[in-house]
Amino acid sequence: MLIEQGFYTRDVLAPDRFSYWREHISQTYVPMDVDGDRTADTTVSQRILALGAVQLWTMEHSPMTLRRTQKLIQRSDPELYHFSLNLRGTMGLTVSGHETEYEPYDLVLHNTSQPHHIRATTSHGEDTVLGTGLFIPRILLPLPENAINSLITQRLSGREGIGALLAQFLTQATRDSGSYRPEDGPRLGKVAIDLLSALFTHALDTGKSLPPESHQQVLVLRIRAFIQAHLHDPQLTPRTIAAAHHISPSYLHRLFADEEETVAAWTRTQRLERARRDLAEPGLRTLPIHAIAARWGFPRAADFTRAFRTAYGMPPREYRNHATLQSE
C-alpha cells in the first residue's frame, strides 16, 4: 500500500471540528487561513498519498474559503504548484484580483508562492465539496515557470484529451491505492509529472513559448500522452506514432534513445500493465481474457499470453486466479 496520511474532523466532537480543521491546515507545509460557518458541523475528510516528491491528495469538505496570504507565504513556502480536479461543487480561484469559477471536472492550477484565495461552495443540493489533485515541486516540471504561470486562472478541461487522462489517473490512483506497493509511489509520481507536463504543453500550444532545449523533452511527453490515449488501437506502431506527430520513425527512435525503454517497448509495457489491472479487477472477472487482451491492443491471444508470461512470470489465467484468491 502507498504511504498515506489522513485527517478527519469526525475524530473530534462536532463543536470542535471547525477549530480542529483550522489548526490543522495552519500547521501544514502550505499554511492557509480558513473561513467558514463555525456554527455548522464542519465536515472534512482528507487523504494524502506519497508519490515520491509528488503528493496526491483527495478531500471532501463543507463549503469554506481558504486564503494564502503574503504573510503565510513568508512563513512557509515549499515552492509548489497546487493542481486540483474539481469533482463536486463549485470553486472560485482569485489571484491578483482576477477570479475564475470552476465547475466539476475543470482542472485548476495555482502557485503556492502567489497570494490567492479559494472559495468552495456546494451546488445541486449537495452538502459537501469533493476534489482531488497534486502538490508538485515546481522544479520538477520541464517547462519554463513563466509559461506555466500564464495558465493560472485558466479553465483547463478534465473531460477530454490529455486532461481526461490526467483526471482518470488522479481518481484511479486514489481508488486503487491499496493495490500499489510503497516503492510504486515514485513511479506513479513520474507518471503524474509526465501527464501534467503534457497537459500544460498542449495548453501552451508548445513551440513558441518554449526554449529550444525544451522542445525534445516536451515532444516526448506529448508522444507518451498520445500513446496512453491510443493503447487500444492494434495499429499503434512506431510508424503510426511518428506520422501522428509529423516526424520520421528514425527521429522518433532517437527521441527515445535516452529513455529507459524504446518507444515500442514502452508501448507494450503500458498495454500489459492495463491488461494486468483488468485481470485483477473483481468487476471484470466474467470478461474473457482474450477480450481484455483485445481491448489493450493485443488482437492475437497467443501473443498476449506469451508477452504477459514474460513480463509477470505467469500466464494471464493463472494471474487472474491468484488475484481472485487474494481479494476473497
Side-chain angles (χ1 to χ4, degrees):
M1 179 180 291
L2 295 174
I3 299 172
E4 177 177 338
Q5 295 177 333
F7 174 90
Y8 309 94
T9 53
R10 65 172 181 264
D11 293 340
V12 301
L13 297 174
D16 300 326
R17 288 173 181 170
F18 181 83
S19 58
Y20 181 51
W21 165 240
R22 190 173 187 181
E23 177 65 19
H24 167 77
I25 201 166
S26 71
Q27 300 299 322
T28 64
Y29 56 97
V30 187
M32 301 186 79
D33 285 334
V34 185
D35 293 329
D37 187 351
R38 302 173 189 233
T39 64
D41 184 359
T42 302
T43 297
V44 178
S45 174
Q46 181 189 60
R47 297 173 59 203
I48 298 180
L49 301 173
L51 308 183
V54 177
Q55 303 289 315
L56 170 59
W57 59 267
T58 300
M59 191 163 75
E60 181 177 5
H61 58 89
S62 305
M64 63 181 65
T65 298
L66 304 171
R67 301 179 187 275
R68 177 88 169 139
T69 64
Q70 189 62 49
K71 182 177 179 181
L72 290 173
I73 292 169
Q74 291 171 350
R75 170 179 143 192
S76 174
D77 183 16
E79 299 186 350
L80 305 172
Y81 281 118
H82 185 184
F83 184 79
S84 58
L85 168 67
N86 190 27
L87 293 170
R88 185 173 68 232
T90 301
M91 177 176 160
L93 171 65
T94 301
V95 179
S96 301
H98 178 76
E99 181 176 17
T100 305
E101 190 125 319
Y102 300 87
E103 300 294 332
Y105 278 84
D106 283 342
L107 297 163
V108 188
L109 172 69
H110 50 281
N111 187 332
T112 64
S113 300
Q114 292 180 327
H116 60 270
H117 74 260
I118 301 167
R119 175 180 48 80
T121 57
T122 53
S123 57
H124 309 301
E126 300 286 354
D127 294 327
T128 57
V129 178
L130 177 65
T132 186
L134 302 166
F135 284 118
I136 179 167
R138 297 203 300 268
I139 195 172
L140 295 184
L141 291 174
L143 300 171
E145 189 169 325
N146 61 342
I148 297 176
N149 285 340
S150 71
L151 298 175
I152 294 174
T153 71
Q154 287 193 31
R155 289 180 64 172
L156 303 172
S157 176
R159 304 172 193 84
E160 59 188 7
I162 299 172
L165 281 176
L166 182 54
Q168 180 183 19
F169 169 81
L170 293 173
T171 54
Q172 184 169 330
T174 301
R175 184 176 61 247
D176 297 344
S177 62
S179 66
Y180 297 110
R181 298 168 297 181
E183 55 267 33
D184 292 327
R187 301 186 189 106
L188 292 172
K190 186 177 186 304
V191 172
I193 292 169
D194 285 350
L195 286 172
L196 195 58
S197 299
L199 174 67
F200 290 165
T201 299
H202 178 77
L204 293 166
D205 200 23
T206 320
K208 295 181 181 179
S209 59
L210 301 177
E213 62 271 18
S214 299
H215 284 190
Q216 287 192 1
Q217 191 170 18
V218 167
L219 182 55
V220 170
L221 292 173
R222 294 184 68 191
I223 291 169
R224 287 184 186 273
F226 175 84
I227 292 170
Q228 295 272 12
H230 294 84
L231 290 173
H232 62 280
D233 183 359
Q235 301 304 315
L236 184 69
T237 65
R239 185 171 295 278
T240 60
I241 293 167
H245 292 85
H246 310 289
I247 59 177
S248 68
S250 60
Y251 183 60
L252 174 66
H253 290 305
R254 287 202 301 275
L255 285 173
F256 276 75
D258 294 329
E259 303 295 314
E260 294 180 2
E261 295 179 295
T262 66
V263 64
W266 192 82
T267 301
R268 173 165 289 209
T269 296
Q270 297 305 304
R271 284 173 160 162
L272 288 169
E273 177 59 18
R274 297 303 193 285
R276 183 194 68 79
R277 292 181 190 175
D278 283 358
L279 289 170
E281 174 58 49
L284 298 177
R285 286 176 185 168
T286 61
L287 187 64
I289 291 175
H290 68 83
I292 290 176
R295 79 189 296 190
W296 293 116
F298 291 97
R300 293 166 55 96
D303 291 344
F304 172 67
T305 298
R306 184 165 51 252
F308 193 93
R309 185 197 296 269
T310 299
Y312 300 107
M314 63 181 74
R317 188 172 305 281
E318 183 179 341
Y319 181 86
R320 173 180 262 181
N321 292 338
H322 179 73
T324 299
L325 291 173
Q326 291 290 103
S327 65
E328 291 177 348

